[in-house]
Each structure stands twice: as structure tokens, then as C-alpha cells.
Short mmCIF file of all heavy atoms in Angstrom, two decimals:
data_model
loop_
_atom_site.label_atom_id
_atom_site.label_comp_id
_atom_site.label_asym_id
_atom_site.label_seq_id
_atom_site.Cartn_x
_atom_site.Cartn_y
_atom_site.Cartn_z
N MET B 121 38.05 5.90 -21.56
CA MET B 121 36.93 6.52 -22.21
C MET B 121 36.91 6.32 -23.75
O MET B 121 35.95 6.02 -24.33
CB MET B 121 36.88 7.99 -21.91
CG MET B 121 36.70 8.33 -20.43
SD MET B 121 35.06 7.85 -19.84
CE MET B 121 33.98 8.90 -20.82
N ILE B 122 38.10 6.49 -24.35
CA ILE B 122 38.26 6.31 -25.81
C ILE B 122 37.91 4.88 -26.19
O ILE B 122 37.16 4.73 -27.18
CB ILE B 122 39.68 6.70 -26.23
CG1 ILE B 122 39.92 8.18 -26.14
CG2 ILE B 122 39.92 6.19 -27.68
CD1 ILE B 122 41.38 8.53 -26.32
N LEU B 123 38.42 3.93 -25.47
CA LEU B 123 38.21 2.56 -25.80
C LEU B 123 36.74 2.18 -25.64
O LEU B 123 36.16 1.39 -26.51
CB LEU B 123 39.08 1.59 -24.91
CG LEU B 123 39.22 0.18 -25.40
CD1 LEU B 123 39.87 0.14 -26.78
CD2 LEU B 123 40.11 -0.61 -24.41
N SER B 124 36.05 2.68 -24.64
CA SER B 124 34.66 2.42 -24.44
C SER B 124 33.79 3.01 -25.58
O SER B 124 32.88 2.35 -26.09
CB SER B 124 34.16 2.98 -23.10
OG SER B 124 34.88 2.41 -22.05
N ALA B 125 34.16 4.25 -25.94
CA ALA B 125 33.42 4.95 -27.01
C ALA B 125 33.68 4.25 -28.34
O ALA B 125 32.74 3.98 -29.16
CB ALA B 125 33.79 6.40 -27.12
N PHE B 126 34.93 3.85 -28.58
CA PHE B 126 35.28 3.09 -29.81
C PHE B 126 34.52 1.81 -29.94
O PHE B 126 33.98 1.48 -31.07
CB PHE B 126 36.76 2.83 -29.86
CG PHE B 126 37.17 1.91 -31.01
CD1 PHE B 126 37.07 2.24 -32.30
CD2 PHE B 126 37.68 0.63 -30.67
CE1 PHE B 126 37.44 1.38 -33.30
CE2 PHE B 126 38.05 -0.29 -31.63
CZ PHE B 126 37.95 0.15 -33.00
N ALA B 127 34.39 1.04 -28.90
CA ALA B 127 33.64 -0.24 -28.97
C ALA B 127 32.14 0.01 -29.26
O ALA B 127 31.51 -0.75 -29.95
CB ALA B 127 33.78 -0.93 -27.55
N LEU B 128 31.65 1.08 -28.65
CA LEU B 128 30.18 1.47 -28.86
C LEU B 128 29.94 1.85 -30.35
O LEU B 128 28.97 1.44 -30.93
CB LEU B 128 29.77 2.55 -27.93
CG LEU B 128 28.34 3.00 -27.93
CD1 LEU B 128 27.34 1.84 -27.60
CD2 LEU B 128 28.09 4.17 -27.07
N LEU B 129 30.82 2.74 -30.84
CA LEU B 129 30.62 3.28 -32.16
C LEU B 129 31.00 2.36 -33.30
O LEU B 129 30.38 2.45 -34.35
CB LEU B 129 31.46 4.57 -32.28
CG LEU B 129 31.04 5.81 -31.43
CD1 LEU B 129 32.12 6.85 -31.54
CD2 LEU B 129 29.70 6.32 -31.78
N SER B 130 31.89 1.47 -33.07
CA SER B 130 32.37 0.57 -34.12
C SER B 130 31.26 -0.39 -34.59
O SER B 130 31.31 -0.94 -35.70
CB SER B 130 33.57 -0.24 -33.71
OG SER B 130 33.27 -1.01 -32.54
N GLY B 131 30.24 -0.57 -33.70
CA GLY B 131 29.12 -1.44 -34.14
C GLY B 131 28.13 -0.65 -34.92
O GLY B 131 27.15 -1.28 -35.48
N VAL B 132 28.24 0.59 -35.06
CA VAL B 132 27.30 1.48 -35.80
C VAL B 132 27.92 2.06 -36.98
O VAL B 132 27.26 2.14 -38.04
CB VAL B 132 26.79 2.59 -34.87
CG1 VAL B 132 25.80 3.47 -35.60
CG2 VAL B 132 26.28 2.01 -33.55
N ILE B 133 29.20 2.51 -36.95
CA ILE B 133 29.87 3.11 -38.16
C ILE B 133 31.18 2.41 -38.34
O ILE B 133 31.64 1.63 -37.55
CB ILE B 133 30.07 4.61 -37.83
CG1 ILE B 133 30.97 4.79 -36.58
CG2 ILE B 133 28.77 5.37 -37.66
CD1 ILE B 133 31.36 6.26 -36.32
N PRO B 134 31.77 2.61 -39.57
CA PRO B 134 33.09 1.95 -39.81
C PRO B 134 34.13 2.27 -38.73
O PRO B 134 34.14 3.39 -38.21
CB PRO B 134 33.52 2.57 -41.20
CG PRO B 134 32.14 2.91 -41.80
CD PRO B 134 31.27 3.31 -40.70
N SER B 135 35.03 1.34 -38.47
CA SER B 135 35.92 1.44 -37.34
C SER B 135 36.83 2.61 -37.46
O SER B 135 37.21 3.28 -36.48
CB SER B 135 36.72 0.18 -37.21
OG SER B 135 37.50 -0.15 -38.29
N GLU B 136 37.26 3.03 -38.76
CA GLU B 136 38.14 4.16 -38.92
C GLU B 136 37.49 5.45 -38.48
O GLU B 136 38.16 6.31 -37.91
CB GLU B 136 38.60 4.21 -40.35
CG GLU B 136 37.61 4.35 -41.41
CD GLU B 136 37.12 3.00 -41.96
OE1 GLU B 136 37.32 2.02 -41.33
OE2 GLU B 136 36.62 3.01 -43.16
N TYR B 137 36.17 5.55 -38.70
CA TYR B 137 35.52 6.77 -38.23
C TYR B 137 35.21 6.68 -36.70
O TYR B 137 35.19 7.68 -36.03
CB TYR B 137 34.14 6.92 -39.00
CG TYR B 137 34.35 7.11 -40.43
CD1 TYR B 137 33.92 6.17 -41.40
CD2 TYR B 137 35.00 8.30 -40.93
CE1 TYR B 137 34.08 6.41 -42.75
CE2 TYR B 137 35.11 8.53 -42.30
CZ TYR B 137 34.72 7.58 -43.17
OH TYR B 137 34.90 7.75 -44.52
N ALA B 138 34.95 5.48 -36.25
CA ALA B 138 34.75 5.25 -34.80
C ALA B 138 35.92 5.71 -33.97
O ALA B 138 35.78 6.33 -32.93
CB ALA B 138 34.39 3.85 -34.51
N ILE B 139 37.14 5.38 -34.52
CA ILE B 139 38.37 5.72 -33.77
C ILE B 139 38.54 7.24 -33.71
O ILE B 139 38.91 7.80 -32.69
CB ILE B 139 39.61 5.05 -34.41
CG1 ILE B 139 39.61 3.58 -34.20
CG2 ILE B 139 40.90 5.64 -33.99
CD1 ILE B 139 40.75 2.79 -34.73
N VAL B 140 38.25 7.94 -34.86
CA VAL B 140 38.44 9.33 -34.89
C VAL B 140 37.43 10.04 -33.97
O VAL B 140 37.81 10.95 -33.19
CB VAL B 140 38.23 9.88 -36.36
CG1 VAL B 140 38.19 11.40 -36.37
CG2 VAL B 140 39.31 9.39 -37.26
N LEU B 141 36.22 9.62 -33.93
CA LEU B 141 35.22 10.24 -33.05
C LEU B 141 35.51 9.94 -31.59
O LEU B 141 35.38 10.78 -30.75
CB LEU B 141 33.80 9.70 -33.41
CG LEU B 141 33.21 10.20 -34.72
CD1 LEU B 141 31.85 9.56 -35.01
CD2 LEU B 141 33.08 11.73 -34.74
N ALA B 142 35.95 8.77 -31.29
CA ALA B 142 36.23 8.36 -29.91
C ALA B 142 37.45 9.15 -29.46
O ALA B 142 37.53 9.42 -28.20
CB ALA B 142 36.51 6.82 -29.85
N SER B 143 38.39 9.51 -30.32
CA SER B 143 39.58 10.28 -29.89
C SER B 143 39.22 11.64 -29.41
O SER B 143 40.17 12.31 -28.79
CB SER B 143 40.54 10.27 -31.13
OG SER B 143 40.02 11.17 -32.08
N LEU B 144 38.05 12.12 -29.70
CA LEU B 144 37.68 13.41 -29.18
C LEU B 144 37.59 13.47 -27.62
O LEU B 144 37.59 14.56 -27.01
CB LEU B 144 36.34 13.88 -29.79
CG LEU B 144 36.30 14.06 -31.32
CD1 LEU B 144 34.91 14.41 -31.79
CD2 LEU B 144 37.35 15.14 -31.71
N LEU B 145 37.59 12.29 -26.99
CA LEU B 145 37.55 12.17 -25.56
C LEU B 145 39.05 12.19 -25.00
O LEU B 145 39.21 12.08 -23.79
CB LEU B 145 36.90 10.83 -25.11
CG LEU B 145 35.41 10.79 -25.46
CD1 LEU B 145 34.85 9.37 -25.18
CD2 LEU B 145 34.59 11.78 -24.66
N TYR B 146 39.95 12.26 -25.90
CA TYR B 146 41.37 12.27 -25.48
C TYR B 146 41.74 13.29 -24.39
O TYR B 146 42.55 13.00 -23.51
CB TYR B 146 42.21 12.52 -26.75
CG TYR B 146 43.69 12.08 -26.70
CD1 TYR B 146 43.95 10.74 -26.86
CD2 TYR B 146 44.64 12.99 -26.55
CE1 TYR B 146 45.29 10.34 -26.87
CE2 TYR B 146 46.04 12.59 -26.52
CZ TYR B 146 46.28 11.25 -26.71
OH TYR B 146 47.59 10.84 -26.72
N PRO B 147 41.17 14.52 -24.38
CA PRO B 147 41.58 15.54 -23.41
C PRO B 147 41.23 15.22 -21.96
O PRO B 147 41.81 15.91 -21.08
CB PRO B 147 40.98 16.82 -23.87
CG PRO B 147 40.56 16.53 -25.33
CD PRO B 147 40.37 15.09 -25.40
N ILE B 148 40.32 14.33 -21.72
CA ILE B 148 39.87 14.18 -20.31
C ILE B 148 40.96 13.91 -19.34
O ILE B 148 41.04 14.61 -18.27
CB ILE B 148 38.78 13.01 -20.26
CG1 ILE B 148 37.58 13.39 -21.09
CG2 ILE B 148 38.40 12.75 -18.75
CD1 ILE B 148 36.50 12.30 -21.21
#
């Protein structure tokens, strides 16, 4: 889930922010 969200967000926002936002899916 994190990797899928990171790939989606990195095309919209800088990758360092994309990683942080994608990591919110970590608990699943």
C-alpha cells in the first residue's frame, strides 16, 4: 500500500513529502 501511494503521490508532490504521506498507510 505504501509503495502504491508513494508512486501515485511522487508525480504530484516532491518525493520526500510523498514518502511521509504514504507512510501513514503503515499500520494496515
Side-chain angles (χ1 to χ4, degrees):
M121 295 294 295
I122 290 171
L123 197 58
S124 300
F126 169 66
L128 180 65
L129 293 172
S130 59
V132 181
I133 59 177
S135 60
E136 57 269 23
Y137 297 114
I139 287 179
V140 173
L141 289 177
S143 67
L144 297 177
L145 296 171
Y146 201 77
I148 294 175

